[in-house]
């Protein structure tokens, strides 16, 4: 019986050593990834602005900073870590900071307007039926509705005069525009440009990488903890089996 306990203890201890080594290697790789992400962040040198009270500000306005945080927390449901928004370390290099920067870009896109120029008049058949309605409304840059009234005309027959139109985004994302409308289709490309999509992708990768590194670090530490537990358990079984042999002798 004592010899069996000794063998079992040795096996458990060996498994523990392997777990510790594997966890240690994983932790080192995670740290290497964290260093790479930090280096990338430093190279870009993107920072968040804060006021003297330590509040995030956008273009000097703390109220806009609150709106951006609300977009991030309440609309996008991102688990904001308040400690990551540190005025003493404004460099964007954590998951929350990457996502805050993304929300900043989104806020200005969603709240903005774009100038669409029609070089010639356009008759838009937008109601889904064939042919223009005889009572189709005509719009000029000066008479184009704004706000919810603008959204209401997007799927109606309309005549648009040539000119420079100011088209509101009204909190709409890429898929919420009417791409067939001569004004809204062009406004979508201007608001959600390739640059905006590229920045979203880059910041999203940064936030995801940071989260993955945190998960990898946690798993590595768990593996090390289990490994140490196995080593102690295995060593204990070997010690108990040796004590039994000495008692029998």
């Amino acid at each position: 019986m004592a010899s069996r306990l000794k063998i079992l203890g040795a096996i458990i201890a060996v498994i523990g050593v392997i777990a510790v080594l594997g966890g240690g290697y994983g932790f080192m790789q995670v740290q290497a990834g964290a260093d790479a992400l930090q280096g990338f962040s430093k190279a870009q040198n993107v920072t968040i602005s804060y006021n003297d009270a330590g509040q995030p500000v956008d273009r000097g306005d703390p109220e806009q900073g609150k709106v951006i945080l609300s977009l991030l927390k309440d609309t996008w449901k991102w688990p904001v870590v308040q400690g990551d928004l540190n005025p003493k370390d404004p460099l964007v290099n954590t998951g929350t900071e990457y996502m805050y920067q993304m929300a900043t870009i989104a806020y200005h896109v969603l709240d903005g307007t774009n100038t669409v120029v029609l070089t010639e008049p356009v008759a838009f058949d937008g109601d889904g039926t064939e042919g223009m309605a005889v009572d189709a409304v005509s719009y000029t840059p000066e008479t184009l509705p704004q706000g919810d009234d603008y959204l209401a005309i997007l799927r109606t027959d309309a005549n648009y005069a040539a000119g420079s139109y100011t088209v509101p985004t009204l909190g709409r994302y890429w898929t919420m525009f009417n791409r067939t409308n001569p004004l809204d289709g062009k406004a979508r490309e201007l608001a959600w440009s390739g640059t905006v999509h590229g920045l979203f992708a880059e910041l999203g990768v940064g936030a995801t990488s940071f989260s993955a590194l945190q998960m990898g670090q946690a798993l590595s530490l768990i593996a090390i903890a289990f490994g140490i537990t196995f080593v102690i358990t295995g060593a204990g079984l070997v010690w108990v089996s040796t004590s039994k042999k000495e008692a029998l002798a």
Side-chain angles (χ1 to χ4, degrees), residues 37 78 81 84 93-96 98 204-215:
L37 185 60
W78 181 264
V81 179
D84 287 347
N93 59 358
T94 67
T96 293
Y98 278 117
V205 168
T208 303
S209 298
F210 184 81
S211 297
L213 288 169
Q214 283 187 315
M215 185 180 297

Side-chain angles (χ1 to χ4, degrees), residues 72-155:
L72 182 57
K73 291 195 295 186
D74 302 328
T75 304
W76 292 359
K77 306 300 181 185
W78 181 264
V80 172
V81 179
Q82 203 63 41
D84 287 347
L85 298 173
N86 182 4
K88 295 181 180 179
D89 180 20
L91 184 69
V92 174
N93 59 358
T94 67
T96 293
E97 289 172 317
Y98 278 117
M99 291 303 296
Y100 179 87
Q101 196 66 25
M102 185 189 294
T104 300
I105 296 169
Y107 167 71
H108 289 290
V109 171
L110 296 170
D111 194 52
T113 60
N114 290 280
T115 301
V116 175
V117 178
L118 297 181
T119 57
E120 57 185 25
V122 178
F124 175 60
D125 182 12
D127 62 1
T129 61
E130 188 174 349
M132 289 286 294
V134 294
D135 59 346
V137 181
S138 296
Y139 297 106
T140 67
E142 293 74 27
T143 62
L144 183 71
Q146 296 294 307
D148 291 339
D149 292 336
Y150 169 75
L151 298 178
I153 70 167
L154 291 178
R155 298 191 181 279

Side-chain angles (χ1 to χ4, degrees), residues 3-240:
S3 60
R4 291 178 181 176
L5 282 176
K6 187 174 183 179
I7 293 172
L8 178 61
I11 293 173
I12 292 175
V14 169
I15 293 173
V17 170
I18 293 173
V20 169
L21 292 175
Y25 176 77
F27 187 82
M28 290 171 58
Q29 293 300 105
V30 166
Q31 287 302 115
D35 291 342
L37 185 60
Q38 178 72 2
F40 178 70
S41 299
K42 284 184 176 180
Q44 288 192 311
N45 196 32
V46 178
T47 60
I48 295 174
S49 298
Y50 297 88
N51 61 12
D52 293 338
Q55 298 172 307
V57 299
D58 183 64
R59 299 176 181 177
D61 187 356
E63 293 303 315
Q64 287 194 20
K66 291 179 181 178
V67 173
I68 292 168
L69 268 177
S70 177
L71 172 64
L72 182 57
K73 291 195 295 186
D74 302 328
T75 304
W76 292 359
K77 306 300 181 185
W78 181 264
V80 172
V81 179
Q82 203 63 41
D84 287 347
L85 298 173
N86 182 4
K88 295 181 180 179
D89 180 20
L91 184 69
V92 174
N93 59 358
T94 67
T96 293
E97 289 172 317
Y98 278 117
M99 291 303 296
Y100 179 87
Q101 196 66 25
M102 185 189 294
T104 300
I105 296 169
Y107 167 71
H108 289 290
V109 171
L110 296 170
D111 194 52
T113 60
N114 290 280
T115 301
V116 175
V117 178
L118 297 181
T119 57
E120 57 185 25
V122 178
F124 175 60
D125 182 12
D127 62 1
T129 61
E130 188 174 349
M132 289 286 294
V134 294
D135 59 346
V137 181
S138 296
Y139 297 106
T140 67
E142 293 74 27
T143 62
L144 183 71
Q146 296 294 307
D148 291 339
D149 292 336
Y150 169 75
L151 298 178
I153 70 167
L154 291 178
R155 298 191 181 279
T156 61
D157 291 352
N159 294 297
Y160 297 100
S164 180
Y165 291 81
T166 299
V167 181
T169 304
L170 299 173
R172 292 176 296 162
Y173 293 86
W174 173 264
T175 58
M176 299 167 73
F177 286 76
N178 182 356
R179 62 183 179 82
T180 63
N181 184 280
L183 297 180
D184 219 42
K186 291 182 179 180
R188 178 175 80 161
E189 296 175 0
L190 293 170
W192 293 101
S193 65
T195 300
V196 171
H197 280 117
L199 288 171
F200 264 47
E202 186 175 298
L203 291 165
V205 168
T208 303
S209 298
F210 184 81
S211 297
L213 288 169
Q214 283 187 315
M215 185 180 297
Q217 185 180 58
L219 291 174
S220 297
L221 292 174
I222 289 172
I224 292 171
F226 270 108
I228 292 173
T229 302
F230 274 42
V231 170
I232 293 173
T233 303
L237 288 174
V238 172
W239 178 74
V240 168

